[in-house]
Structure formats: structure tokens, C-alpha cells
Amino acid sequence: EKSHYNQNKSQLSFSFMFPSHKGTKLFFYDHVSFKCLHLAKDEVEDLGLKGRGFCLSSDDKNLVYISYDNPNELMIYSIKSKKIEKLKKFDSPITSLQLFDKDSKILLNLSENDGKISKLVEFDRKTAEIRDFNAISGEVKQFNFSPNEKLLAYVAGKYPLTLNVYDFESNTVKKCFDSWAGLSILRWSEDGKSIYISAIHYILHEFKLDNMQRIELKNEKNEKISAY
């Protein structure tokens, strides 16, 4: 999740990277400049995008993100035409987002009441309709759909923070574990059976849904893996 790339003697610090779904492109997010960059032929290409919460569509054609200049604005970038458009301006700042339902909808976390309240809403790209996402409640910090979109992992609460999994088919919430430390880097395994998350001094953990166990991940030197 963390990488450094040196170009023209200037170092860029990437907070995360994400490959295209077809595996033909690789994108990076520079958390210092808030820019989204593209790695092509061992060279970093600046896409001219500045924002947060970059999310790649499943067809690898668009990047959806939060505007840097105005966090209330949801933007979309066409990778082919390199055209930037504003999808929607919300009444409250957007803190995170994710595409789902074949990229036709976007789940957004809005910050209300000067950041004291978070609210999940569902934005329909075709109709521009906004609906409250009532499947889960509470102070949601971040979220991520499973590969088949049948489950939604999310971190909620203040302290302790709680990792939960919502099942859309059974309409139930499964509590995974509490943490007094920060919980971040919320990712699913490709088979949807595990959740990868940083917890307790930002060490990466794997949470297995089948036996509800959490294990610390280690490298080939048997060292704990830091998320930062």
C-alpha cells in the first residue's frame, strides 16, 4: 500500500496505489500534493488531478474523486479523453466514496454539523438522485464493498472504533472487533473471505470472516508490516 518513486531527484510519497481492473494501468495517490498519478513505462505521469478519495471504475475508463478546491464537489475524470467533469455538488463535504452496482451508483460519506456527524448517502449517476443509505447507522469512518458487493465492511464509532460487516442479503450486521487504536487501509481479499486493515500502531492485520480471527501480517523476515 505504500511506495516511493524517485523522478528527477525529487521524491514523491505515495499513500496508496491501485492497479486497473484489467491490470494494464497503475495509479498512485500522492498524499503530499493530493495528486493522482499514473505509472507508465517506468515514468510517472501527472494526470493533472488534485483531490481525495480517488476511485477507479470497474471498466477502467473513469476516475471518480472529491475535489481538492471544494470538498462538497464530486468529480469524474475520463482516462481516454482526459476530460474533467463535475458530477454533483453536495450540501456537505464528502469524506469518502466508492462505486458499486456496476458503477451506476456511488456510496458517499458526508460530513455534517462541522464534522461532528457523518452520513452515508447513495448517489445514482443515471438519475442524479440522492438517497439516504439506511442499511447501516452510526458514525461511519470508512467503508469498502466485498468483491461480489454482497457485503460491506465498515469502521464505525468514536473510541473504541469497531470493524463491522453488513450482509445485504440477510440485512444483518456482524461485529468483528473493537480497537482503541486507529483503523485504516480497509481492503478485501480477492475471494471476499478476509479483510485487510491496519490496527494497533498501524500494523497490517488480516481478519478472517470464517473463523472471526485477526492475525498480524509479517514479511519474509518475520517482521510486522506497517501500513505507513
Side-chain angles (χ1 to χ4, degrees), residues 118-145:
S118 66
K119 178 183 179 181
L120 285 180
V121 298
E122 179 184 315
F123 175 70
D124 193 310
R125 290 179 59 190
K126 296 179 181 179
T127 64
E129 183 182 0
I130 302 171
R131 294 185 294 269
D132 290 345
F133 189 81
N134 296 318
I136 57 178
S137 60
E139 192 75 8
V140 178
K141 305 296 184 182
Q142 57 179 310
F143 49 85
N144 203 327
F145 285 93

PDB file of all heavy atoms in Angstrom, residues 118-145:
ATOM      1  N   SER A 118     -21.409  12.075  10.628  1.00  0.00           N
ATOM      2  CA  SER A 118     -21.189  11.526   9.289  1.00  0.00           C
ATOM      3  C   SER A 118     -22.473  10.869   8.810  1.00  0.00           C
ATOM      4  O   SER A 118     -23.195  10.249   9.587  1.00  0.00           O
ATOM      5  CB  SER A 118     -20.042  10.508   9.284  1.00  0.00           C
ATOM      6  OG  SER A 118     -20.379   9.372  10.043  1.00  0.00           O
ATOM      7  N   LYS A 119     -22.743  11.002   7.527  1.00  0.00           N
ATOM      8  CA  LYS A 119     -23.984  10.478   6.960  1.00  0.00           C
ATOM      9  C   LYS A 119     -23.689   9.791   5.633  1.00  0.00           C
ATOM     10  O   LYS A 119     -23.050  10.360   4.752  1.00  0.00           O
ATOM     11  CB  LYS A 119     -24.977  11.631   6.748  1.00  0.00           C
ATOM     12  CG  LYS A 119     -26.296  11.223   6.123  1.00  0.00           C
ATOM     13  CD  LYS A 119     -27.177  12.438   5.898  1.00  0.00           C
ATOM     14  CE  LYS A 119     -28.508  12.075   5.252  1.00  0.00           C
ATOM     15  NZ  LYS A 119     -29.343  13.269   5.014  1.00  0.00           N
ATOM     16  N   LEU A 120     -24.161   8.559   5.484  1.00  0.00           N
ATOM     17  CA  LEU A 120     -23.978   7.823   4.243  1.00  0.00           C
ATOM     18  C   LEU A 120     -25.145   8.086   3.303  1.00  0.00           C
ATOM     19  O   LEU A 120     -26.311   7.991   3.705  1.00  0.00           O
ATOM     20  CB  LEU A 120     -23.877   6.321   4.507  1.00  0.00           C
ATOM     21  CG  LEU A 120     -22.566   5.807   5.112  1.00  0.00           C
ATOM     22  CD1 LEU A 120     -22.642   4.299   5.306  1.00  0.00           C
ATOM     23  CD2 LEU A 120     -21.383   6.164   4.250  1.00  0.00           C
ATOM     24  N   VAL A 121     -24.832   8.416   2.062  1.00  0.00           N
ATOM     25  CA  VAL A 121     -25.863   8.614   1.041  1.00  0.00           C
ATOM     26  C   VAL A 121     -25.485   7.851  -0.219  1.00  0.00           C
ATOM     27  O   VAL A 121     -24.311   7.559  -0.468  1.00  0.00           O
ATOM     28  CB  VAL A 121     -26.073  10.109   0.697  1.00  0.00           C
ATOM     29  CG1 VAL A 121     -26.537  10.876   1.909  1.00  0.00           C
ATOM     30  CG2 VAL A 121     -24.806  10.716   0.116  1.00  0.00           C
ATOM     31  N   GLU A 122     -26.484   7.536  -1.003  1.00  0.00           N
ATOM     32  CA  GLU A 122     -26.306   6.814  -2.258  1.00  0.00           C
ATOM     33  C   GLU A 122     -26.650   7.748  -3.419  1.00  0.00           C
ATOM     34  O   GLU A 122     -27.734   8.330  -3.454  1.00  0.00           O
ATOM     35  CB  GLU A 122     -27.227   5.599  -2.252  1.00  0.00           C
ATOM     36  CG  GLU A 122     -27.202   4.751  -3.490  1.00  0.00           C
ATOM     37  CD  GLU A 122     -28.222   3.633  -3.394  1.00  0.00           C
ATOM     38  OE1 GLU A 122     -28.302   2.986  -2.335  1.00  0.00           O
ATOM     39  OE2 GLU A 122     -28.946   3.416  -4.385  1.00  0.00           O
ATOM     40  N   PHE A 123     -25.703   7.917  -4.327  1.00  0.00           N
ATOM     41  CA  PHE A 123     -25.899   8.806  -5.470  1.00  0.00           C
ATOM     42  C   PHE A 123     -26.038   7.974  -6.738  1.00  0.00           C
ATOM     43  O   PHE A 123     -25.164   7.173  -7.069  1.00  0.00           O
ATOM     44  CB  PHE A 123     -24.719   9.768  -5.598  1.00  0.00           C
ATOM     45  CG  PHE A 123     -24.770  10.641  -6.822  1.00  0.00           C
ATOM     46  CD1 PHE A 123     -25.710  11.651  -6.940  1.00  0.00           C
ATOM     47  CD2 PHE A 123     -23.885  10.453  -7.875  1.00  0.00           C
ATOM     48  CE1 PHE A 123     -25.761  12.464  -8.070  1.00  0.00           C
ATOM     49  CE2 PHE A 123     -23.922  11.251  -9.009  1.00  0.00           C
ATOM     50  CZ  PHE A 123     -24.866  12.256  -9.105  1.00  0.00           C
ATOM     51  N   ASP A 124     -27.140   8.156  -7.447  1.00  0.00           N
ATOM     52  CA  ASP A 124     -27.409   7.449  -8.699  1.00  0.00           C
ATOM     53  C   ASP A 124     -26.869   8.277  -9.859  1.00  0.00           C
ATOM     54  O   ASP A 124     -27.338   9.393 -10.108  1.00  0.00           O
ATOM     55  CB  ASP A 124     -28.907   7.207  -8.859  1.00  0.00           C
ATOM     56  CG  ASP A 124     -29.221   6.211  -9.963  1.00  0.00           C
ATOM     57  OD1 ASP A 124     -28.692   6.376 -11.078  1.00  0.00           O
ATOM     58  OD2 ASP A 124     -30.005   5.281  -9.701  1.00  0.00           O
ATOM     59  N   ARG A 125     -25.893   7.751 -10.575  1.00  0.00           N
ATOM     60  CA  ARG A 125     -25.263   8.511 -11.650  1.00  0.00           C
ATOM     61  C   ARG A 125     -26.205   8.755 -12.829  1.00  0.00           C
ATOM     62  O   ARG A 125     -26.072   9.761 -13.529  1.00  0.00           O
ATOM     63  CB  ARG A 125     -24.012   7.779 -12.143  1.00  0.00           C
ATOM     64  CG  ARG A 125     -22.858   7.777 -11.148  1.00  0.00           C
ATOM     65  CD  ARG A 125     -21.681   7.017 -11.694  1.00  0.00           C
ATOM     66  NE  ARG A 125     -21.188   7.590 -12.953  1.00  0.00           N
ATOM     67  CZ  ARG A 125     -20.286   7.000 -13.731  1.00  0.00           C
ATOM     68  NH1 ARG A 125     -19.817   5.801 -13.406  1.00  0.00           N
ATOM     69  NH2 ARG A 125     -19.883   7.589 -14.837  1.00  0.00           N
ATOM     70  N   LYS A 126     -27.146   7.849 -13.038  1.00  0.00           N
ATOM     71  CA  LYS A 126     -28.055   7.975 -14.184  1.00  0.00           C
ATOM     72  C   LYS A 126     -29.150   9.007 -13.930  1.00  0.00           C
ATOM     73  O   LYS A 126     -29.484   9.795 -14.807  1.00  0.00           O
ATOM     74  CB  LYS A 126     -28.663   6.612 -14.517  1.00  0.00           C
ATOM     75  CG  LYS A 126     -27.646   5.578 -14.972  1.00  0.00           C
ATOM     76  CD  LYS A 126     -28.317   4.243 -15.264  1.00  0.00           C
ATOM     77  CE  LYS A 126     -27.295   3.210 -15.703  1.00  0.00           C
ATOM     78  NZ  LYS A 126     -27.929   1.872 -15.967  1.00  0.00           N
ATOM     79  N   THR A 127     -29.700   8.990 -12.732  1.00  0.00           N
ATOM     80  CA  THR A 127     -30.829   9.877 -12.424  1.00  0.00           C
ATOM     81  C   THR A 127     -30.421  11.098 -11.596  1.00  0.00           C
ATOM     82  O   THR A 127     -31.224  12.008 -11.420  1.00  0.00           O
ATOM     83  CB  THR A 127     -31.915   9.108 -11.653  1.00  0.00           C
ATOM     84  OG1 THR A 127     -31.377   8.697 -10.379  1.00  0.00           O
ATOM     85  CG2 THR A 127     -32.353   7.875 -12.432  1.00  0.00           C
ATOM     86  N   ALA A 128     -29.168  11.084 -11.069  1.00  0.00           N
ATOM     87  CA  ALA A 128     -28.672  12.153 -10.188  1.00  0.00           C
ATOM     88  C   ALA A 128     -29.457  12.223  -8.883  1.00  0.00           C
ATOM     89  O   ALA A 128     -29.413  13.225  -8.160  1.00  0.00           O
ATOM     90  CB  ALA A 128     -28.694  13.503 -10.894  1.00  0.00           C
ATOM     91  N   GLU A 129     -30.176  11.145  -8.562  1.00  0.00           N
ATOM     92  CA  GLU A 129     -30.962  11.097  -7.326  1.00  0.00           C
ATOM     93  C   GLU A 129     -30.069  10.765  -6.139  1.00  0.00           C
ATOM     94  O   GLU A 129     -29.146   9.944  -6.248  1.00  0.00           O
ATOM     95  CB  GLU A 129     -32.072  10.056  -7.453  1.00  0.00           C
ATOM     96  CG  GLU A 129     -32.994   9.973  -6.249  1.00  0.00           C
ATOM     97  CD  GLU A 129     -34.049   8.900  -6.396  1.00  0.00           C
ATOM     98  OE1 GLU A 129     -34.071   8.222  -7.440  1.00  0.00           O
ATOM     99  OE2 GLU A 129     -34.847   8.729  -5.452  1.00  0.00           O
ATOM    100  N   ILE A 130     -30.345  11.405  -5.017  1.00  0.00           N
ATOM    101  CA  ILE A 130     -29.605  11.155  -3.787  1.00  0.00           C
ATOM    102  C   ILE A 130     -30.546  10.529  -2.765  1.00  0.00           C
ATOM    103  O   ILE A 130     -31.627  11.055  -2.495  1.00  0.00           O
ATOM    104  CB  ILE A 130     -29.027  12.463  -3.214  1.00  0.00           C
ATOM    105  CG1 ILE A 130     -28.115  13.133  -4.246  1.00  0.00           C
ATOM    106  CG2 ILE A 130     -28.250  12.190  -1.931  1.00  0.00           C
ATOM    107  CD1 ILE A 130     -27.676  14.523  -3.832  1.00  0.00           C
ATOM    108  N   ARG A 131     -30.157   9.393  -2.211  1.00  0.00           N
ATOM    109  CA  ARG A 131     -30.965   8.715  -1.202  1.00  0.00           C
ATOM    110  C   ARG A 131     -30.114   8.416   0.024  1.00  0.00           C
ATOM    111  O   ARG A 131     -28.917   8.103  -0.104  1.00  0.00           O
ATOM    112  CB  ARG A 131     -31.548   7.398  -1.753  1.00  0.00           C
ATOM    113  CG  ARG A 131     -32.544   7.580  -2.869  1.00  0.00           C
ATOM    114  CD  ARG A 131     -33.169   6.242  -3.261  1.00  0.00           C
ATOM    115  NE  ARG A 131     -32.174   5.355  -3.858  1.00  0.00           N
ATOM    116  CZ  ARG A 131     -31.928   5.309  -5.155  1.00  0.00           C
ATOM    117  NH1 ARG A 131     -32.573   6.099  -5.993  1.00  0.00           N
ATOM    118  NH2 ARG A 131     -31.033   4.477  -5.635  1.00  0.00           N
ATOM    119  N   ASP A 132     -30.728   8.494   1.195  1.00  0.00           N
ATOM    120  CA  ASP A 132     -30.026   8.097   2.413  1.00  0.00           C
ATOM    121  C   ASP A 132     -29.734   6.601   2.360  1.00  0.00           C
ATOM    122  O   ASP A 132     -30.586   5.807   1.952  1.00  0.00           O
ATOM    123  CB  ASP A 132     -30.870   8.402   3.651  1.00  0.00           C
ATOM    124  CG  ASP A 132     -30.980   9.890   3.919  1.00  0.00           C
ATOM    125  OD1 ASP A 132     -30.188  10.656   3.346  1.00  0.00           O
ATOM    126  OD2 ASP A 132     -31.868  10.276   4.699  1.00  0.00           O
ATOM    127  N   PHE A 133     -28.534   6.230   2.752  1.00  0.00           N
ATOM    128  CA  PHE A 133     -28.153   4.817   2.796  1.00  0.00           C
ATOM    129  C   PHE A 133     -28.424   4.322   4.214  1.00  0.00           C
ATOM    130  O   PHE A 133     -27.617   4.494   5.116  1.00  0.00           O
ATOM    131  CB  PHE A 133     -26.677   4.664   2.422  1.00  0.00           C
ATOM    132  CG  PHE A 133     -26.235   3.244   2.230  1.00  0.00           C
ATOM    133  CD1 PHE A 133     -26.472   2.582   1.039  1.00  0.00           C
ATOM    134  CD2 PHE A 133     -25.566   2.574   3.236  1.00  0.00           C
ATOM    135  CE1 PHE A 133     -26.051   1.280   0.857  1.00  0.00           C
ATOM    136  CE2 PHE A 133     -25.145   1.266   3.062  1.00  0.00           C
ATOM    137  CZ  PHE A 133     -25.387   0.622   1.870  1.00  0.00           C
ATOM    138  N   ASN A 134     -29.591   3.717   4.403  1.00  0.00           N
ATOM    139  CA  ASN A 134     -30.052   3.363   5.736  1.00  0.00           C
ATOM    140  C   ASN A 134     -29.690   1.944   6.169  1.00  0.00           C
ATOM    141  O   ASN A 134     -30.126   1.489   7.227  1.00  0.00           O
ATOM    142  CB  ASN A 134     -31.573   3.538   5.821  1.00  0.00           C
ATOM    143  CG  ASN A 134     -31.988   4.990   5.629  1.00  0.00           C
ATOM    144  OD1 ASN A 134     -31.353   5.893   6.165  1.00  0.00           O
ATOM    145  ND2 ASN A 134     -33.042   5.214   4.855  1.00  0.00           N
ATOM    146  N   ALA A 135     -28.915   1.247   5.348  1.00  0.00           N
ATOM    147  CA  ALA A 135     -28.568  -0.130   5.693  1.00  0.00           C
ATOM    148  C   ALA A 135     -27.753  -0.186   6.984  1.00  0.00           C
ATOM    149  O   ALA A 135     -27.898  -1.115   7.781  1.00  0.00           O
ATOM    150  CB  ALA A 135     -27.787  -0.777   4.554  1.00  0.00           C
ATOM    151  N   ILE A 136     -26.914   0.803   7.203  1.00  0.00           N
ATOM    152  CA  ILE A 136     -26.107   0.850   8.427  1.00  0.00           C
ATOM    153  C   ILE A 136     -26.239   2.232   9.036  1.00  0.00           C
ATOM    154  O   ILE A 136     -26.578   3.203   8.372  1.00  0.00           O
ATOM    155  CB  ILE A 136     -24.621   0.530   8.152  1.00  0.00           C
ATOM    156  CG1 ILE A 136     -24.041   1.495   7.108  1.00  0.00           C
ATOM    157  CG2 ILE A 136     -24.459  -0.901   7.686  1.00  0.00           C
ATOM    158  CD1 ILE A 136     -22.577   1.262   6.828  1.00  0.00           C
ATOM    159  N   SER A 137     -25.977   2.308  10.320  1.00  0.00           N
ATOM    160  CA  SER A 137     -26.102   3.579  11.034  1.00  0.00           C
ATOM    161  C   SER A 137     -24.890   3.785  11.928  1.00  0.00           C
ATOM    162  O   SER A 137     -24.041   2.898  12.072  1.00  0.00           O
ATOM    163  CB  SER A 137     -27.385   3.599  11.860  1.00  0.00           C
ATOM    164  OG  SER A 137     -27.373   2.548  12.807  1.00  0.00           O
ATOM    165  N   GLY A 138     -24.828   4.944  12.544  1.00  0.00           N
ATOM    166  CA  GLY A 138     -23.714   5.238  13.425  1.00  0.00           C
ATOM    167  C   GLY A 138     -22.689   6.128  12.745  1.00  0.00           C
ATOM    168  O   GLY A 138     -22.840   6.522  11.591  1.00  0.00           O
ATOM    169  N   GLU A 139     -21.653   6.453  13.479  1.00  0.00           N
ATOM    170  CA  GLU A 139     -20.587   7.332  12.987  1.00  0.00           C
ATOM    171  C   GLU A 139     -19.628   6.512  12.117  1.00  0.00           C
ATOM    172  O   GLU A 139     -18.652   5.940  12.593  1.00  0.00           O
ATOM    173  CB  GLU A 139     -19.838   7.950  14.166  1.00  0.00           C
ATOM    174  CG  GLU A 139     -18.903   9.076  13.814  1.00  0.00           C
ATOM    175  CD  GLU A 139     -19.626  10.377  13.503  1.00  0.00           C
ATOM    176  OE1 GLU A 139     -20.845  10.453  13.706  1.00  0.00           O
ATOM    177  OE2 GLU A 139     -18.964  11.308  13.044  1.00  0.00           O
ATOM    178  N   VAL A 140     -19.916   6.444  10.823  1.00  0.00           N
ATOM    179  CA  VAL A 140     -19.118   5.631   9.905  1.00  0.00           C
ATOM    180  C   VAL A 140     -17.875   6.405   9.461  1.00  0.00           C
ATOM    181  O   VAL A 140     -17.974   7.529   8.971  1.00  0.00           O
ATOM    182  CB  VAL A 140     -19.945   5.211   8.674  1.00  0.00           C
ATOM    183  CG1 VAL A 140     -19.085   4.412   7.701  1.00  0.00           C
ATOM    184  CG2 VAL A 140     -21.156   4.400   9.109  1.00  0.00           C
ATOM    185  N   LYS A 141     -16.706   5.787   9.624  1.00  0.00           N
ATOM    186  CA  LYS A 141     -15.443   6.434   9.265  1.00  0.00           C
ATOM    187  C   LYS A 141     -15.025   6.097   7.844  1.00  0.00           C
ATOM    188  O   LYS A 141     -14.596   6.962   7.090  1.00  0.00           O
ATOM    189  CB  LYS A 141     -14.337   6.001  10.235  1.00  0.00           C
ATOM    190  CG  LYS A 141     -14.657   6.241  11.705  1.00  0.00           C
ATOM    191  CD  LYS A 141     -14.798   7.714  12.017  1.00  0.00           C
ATOM    192  CE  LYS A 141     -15.026   7.928  13.515  1.00  0.00           C
ATOM    193  NZ  LYS A 141     -15.228   9.351  13.860  1.00  0.00           N
ATOM    194  N   GLN A 142     -15.105   4.831   7.492  1.00  0.00           N
ATOM    195  CA  GLN A 142     -14.733   4.378   6.154  1.00  0.00           C
ATOM    196  C   GLN A 142     -15.446   3.069   5.850  1.00  0.00           C
ATOM    197  O   GLN A 142     -15.980   2.426   6.749  1.00  0.00           O
ATOM    198  CB  GLN A 142     -13.223   4.212   6.028  1.00  0.00           C
ATOM    199  CG  GLN A 142     -12.599   3.265   7.033  1.00  0.00           C
ATOM    200  CD  GLN A 142     -11.107   3.129   6.834  1.00  0.00           C
ATOM    201  OE1 GLN A 142     -10.628   2.895   5.736  1.00  0.00           O
ATOM    202  NE2 GLN A 142     -10.356   3.288   7.912  1.00  0.00           N
ATOM    203  N   PHE A 143     -15.452   2.678   4.569  1.00  0.00           N
ATOM    204  CA  PHE A 143     -16.205   1.506   4.163  1.00  0.00           C
ATOM    205  C   PHE A 143     -15.612   0.940   2.881  1.00  0.00           C
ATOM    206  O   PHE A 143     -14.872   1.616   2.167  1.00  0.00           O
ATOM    207  CB  PHE A 143     -17.682   1.865   3.946  1.00  0.00           C
ATOM    208  CG  PHE A 143     -17.887   3.085   3.091  1.00  0.00           C
ATOM    209  CD1 PHE A 143     -17.912   3.003   1.705  1.00  0.00           C
ATOM    210  CD2 PHE A 143     -18.043   4.326   3.678  1.00  0.00           C
ATOM    211  CE1 PHE A 143     -18.082   4.133   0.929  1.00  0.00           C
ATOM    212  CE2 PHE A 143     -18.219   5.467   2.903  1.00  0.00           C
ATOM    213  CZ  PHE A 143     -18.240   5.364   1.527  1.00  0.00           C
ATOM    214  N   ASN A 144     -15.958  -0.308   2.595  1.00  0.00           N
ATOM    215  CA  ASN A 144     -15.475  -0.958   1.384  1.00  0.00           C
ATOM    216  C   ASN A 144     -16.359  -2.165   1.070  1.00  0.00           C
ATOM    217  O   ASN A 144     -16.604  -2.999   1.933  1.00  0.00           O
ATOM    218  CB  ASN A 144     -14.022  -1.411   1.550  1.00  0.00           C
ATOM    219  CG  ASN A 144     -13.309  -1.573   0.222  1.00  0.00           C
ATOM    220  OD1 ASN A 144     -13.923  -1.945  -0.774  1.00  0.00           O
ATOM    221  ND2 ASN A 144     -12.013  -1.306   0.212  1.00  0.00           N
ATOM    222  N   PHE A 145     -16.834  -2.226  -0.178  1.00  0.00           N
ATOM    223  CA  PHE A 145     -17.637  -3.360  -0.616  1.00  0.00           C
ATOM    224  C   PHE A 145     -16.755  -4.584  -0.863  1.00  0.00           C
ATOM    225  O   PHE A 145     -15.615  -4.466  -1.320  1.00  0.00           O
ATOM    226  CB  PHE A 145     -18.376  -3.029  -1.919  1.00  0.00           C
ATOM    227  CG  PHE A 145     -19.544  -2.113  -1.756  1.00  0.00           C
ATOM    228  CD1 PHE A 145     -19.397  -0.742  -1.915  1.00  0.00           C
ATOM    229  CD2 PHE A 145     -20.800  -2.614  -1.447  1.00  0.00           C
ATOM    230  CE1 PHE A 145     -20.478   0.108  -1.770  1.00  0.00           C
ATOM    231  CE2 PHE A 145     -21.891  -1.766  -1.300  1.00  0.00           C
ATOM    232  CZ  PHE A 145     -21.723  -0.399  -1.456  1.00  0.00           C
TER     233      PHE A 145
END
